[in-house]
Amino acid sequence: MEFMSDMLGGADSGKPSLFEIVAQHKMSDLLEPALRHVTSVYAHRYPRYLVRALNWHEELYAAVMLLVERHYLRNYGGSFTEHFYGMKRVRTGKLGGADRMTRGDVWGSLAFLVGLPMVKSRLDQLYERESGGEAARLLGDAFTRRSDVQARGEAESMTSARQRLQTLKLVARRLFRQYYPHANFVYHMATMLYYVAYMFDRTGYSSPWLHILGLQVRRMSAADYRAMDARGPTTSSLTAPPNGSVLRATRNLVARFLFGGLDFLKVLLPLSIFFYRFLEWWYRSDFHKRIQQTPVPPPPQPLRPHVDGIAAPEDQSLCAICEKPRTNPAMAPSGYVFCYPCIHRHISDNRRCPITLARAWPEDIRKLYAD
């Protein structure tokens, strides 16, 4: 990781490389789908308790991430994924000689970390619904035109005030379908341009949102880690000095448990990643296949030659019926091998194996193919 970090870091050792910036953004983007998948799996098992949580997944996820991100921004100076990769946010315009984030910086960061992705997701869903989805992209906009015609017909049958409102809705929907793809393009293009500019040291901001807030992402130094160790466990504003009352003791206990759990997330995440990779390796390995495979049963004991049957030749390459080298070999159900014409003729006439006298039928003969 250090080698990859220094490839584009240049002389500024505190500046994270583009690899680190993109990695933490990717991890942040993957958290929501991963939690949605886990919730959907357990919602199918326990629909009575979790189906509502699945229906309101985005809102619940935003509320949880608001709590998590606020905790890490206030106590560690960076988002959850930034702190996981050993990074922090600093002010470019220092106030009073300090580069720590202010309260306004924390809430501004929360707006772009939690609020903006949720709004973007809602707008994507709205555009998918208004544009007709995959059917409209494959078969044209006949679906959207038909819905507009239906809405226009409903508007004509309304009163004048409601008709104007319905007309405004139609215009807004049409403008949204027309201009949202361009806004979406500008959104992603701005992010990409900042990545390119950051990679070539044209700017110190890795995203336009950090530029708006006046914040830069930097690597945490040894002094930062020493300060964290000296500070000890993070405390919450919910905690209060003990005064002997049970209510305040309970309040402090809940606050310590809650914020201790938030701090444990930075340990739980790498453990969960390691456990997932271990399961992935285990299910792909030969060890798992060996355990899952049913044991192969031992072969049955060969049938003994019958005293009234034909004697088996000592030379196993000879046919016991014609006593010549086997041609076009075939196996009887008893396991002995003969020439196919010989054994087929014998079983068709006698319905028995010539050596063991075991019952056999012509359809039980198996031809053998050898290189």
Side-chain angles (χ1 to χ4, degrees):
M1 189 69 180
E2 293 297 332
F3 172 74
M4 300 296 291
S5 303
D6 294 337
M7 285 181 63
L8 298 175
D12 189 358
S13 60
K15 178 183 176 182
S17 70
L18 185 62
F19 297 102
E20 295 169 284
I21 297 295
V22 173
Q24 69 93 11
H25 278 301
K26 288 295 183 182
M27 176 178 288
S28 179
D29 294 339
L30 290 175
L31 286 177
E32 192 271 338
L35 291 178
R36 178 189 291 273
H37 176 71
V38 173
T39 306
S40 63
V41 169
Y42 282 96
H44 283 85
R45 295 184 179 182
Y46 310 102
R48 181 179 180 182
Y49 305 102
L50 295 178
V51 68
R52 293 185 179 179
L54 183 62
N55 294 335
W56 293 88
H57 172 79
E58 291 187 358
E59 289 77 7
L60 293 176
Y61 176 78
V64 171
M65 290 308 297
L66 183 68
L67 179 65
V68 173
E69 298 290 12
R70 181 175 178 270
H71 172 76
Y72 278 87
L73 286 169
R74 288 187 59 191
N75 294 282
Y76 300 106
S79 68
F80 172 63
T81 54
E82 288 168 353
H83 180 70
F84 179 79
Y85 279 92
M87 294 181 285
K88 64 178 181 178
R89 297 187 176 198
V90 297
R91 291 182 56 86
T92 54
K94 299 180 179 180
L95 296 178
D99 58 358
R100 290 181 59 85
M101 291 191 299
T102 63
R103 186 175 181 180
D105 295 330
V106 171
W107 286 106
S109 298
L110 288 174
F112 286 111
L113 286 171
V114 181
L116 181 62
M118 184 176 178
V119 172
K120 178 68 168 54
S121 176
R122 289 299 187 185
L123 290 175
D124 290 341
Q125 295 175 10
L126 178 61
Y127 178 76
E128 191 76 13
R129 185 169 60 252
E130 291 294 331
S131 63
E134 291 292 338
R137 284 192 286 271
L138 292 174
L139 306 175
D141 57 348
F143 299 98
T144 56
R145 286 200 302 266
R146 182 173 58 185
S147 62
D148 288 346
V149 170
Q150 293 175 352
R152 195 176 295 111
E154 294 174 358
E156 292 175 355
S157 62
M158 298 178 181
T159 60
S160 59
R162 296 184 62 186
Q163 185 176 0
R164 286 195 298 269
L165 180 60
Q166 189 69 15
T167 304
L168 289 176
K169 290 182 179 180
L170 286 173
V171 173
R173 291 170 60 182
R174 186 171 63 252
L175 291 176
F176 177 76
R177 289 197 304 266
Q178 182 177 357
Y179 290 106
Y180 181 73
H182 304 286
N184 189 46
F185 172 79
V186 171
Y187 174 88
H188 291 288
M189 182 57 68
T191 303
M192 190 193 72
L193 290 177
Y194 266 84
Y195 278 164
V196 174
Y198 182 84
M199 181 173 61
F200 290 101
D201 290 329
R202 297 298 181 182
T203 181
Y205 302 98
S206 58
S207 73
W209 327 123
L210 291 175
H211 199 166
I212 294 174
L213 295 173
L215 299 173
Q216 290 184 359
V217 177
R218 307 287 294 178
R219 289 199 189 107
M220 295 181 65
S221 62
D224 295 322
Y225 287 106
R226 286 195 295 267
M228 287 169 48
D229 294 336
R231 187 176 55 195
T234 57
T235 57
S236 168
S237 57
L238 298 176
T239 58
N243 59 357
S245 66
V246 178
L247 182 61
R248 178 165 294 187
T250 305
R251 171 185 170 183
N252 292 341
L253 181 62
V254 172
R256 290 193 186 96
F257 178 79
L258 175 62
F259 284 85
L262 293 177
D263 282 337
F264 184 69
L265 287 178
K266 59 186 178 183
V267 180
L268 180 63
L269 182 61
L271 288 178
S272 60
I273 294 174
F274 171 78
F275 184 67
Y276 170 76
R277 292 297 183 185
F278 172 76
L279 289 179
E280 186 179 34
W281 167 82
W282 173 256
Y283 283 110
R284 291 182 179 179
S285 65
D286 294 334
F287 302 103
H288 175 260
K289 295 178 181 178
R290 293 173 187 172
I291 293 176
Q292 293 297 321
Q293 287 178 349
T294 57
V296 179
Q301 294 294 328
L303 296 178
R304 297 291 182 179
H306 198 276
V307 293
D308 297 330
I310 300 175
E314 296 182 1
D315 187 356
Q316 296 184 0
S317 63
L318 299 179
C319 173
I321 298 175
C322 65
E323 299 182 351
K324 296 179 181 179
R326 288 191 299 263
T327 58
N328 198 3
M331 183 180 68
S334 59
Y336 290 93
V337 182
F338 310 87
C339 298
Y340 180 75
C342 299
I343 189 62
H344 189 276
R345 187 182 311 111
H346 183 88
I347 291 181
S348 298
D349 296 339
N350 303 291
R351 304 293 180 180
R352 290 184 181 276
C353 172
I355 296 178
T356 62
L357 300 184
R359 297 292 293 178
W361 284 263
E363 57 268 19
D364 296 333
I365 300 173
R366 296 293 179 262
K367 296 187 67 174
L368 301 179
Y369 300 93
D371 295 335

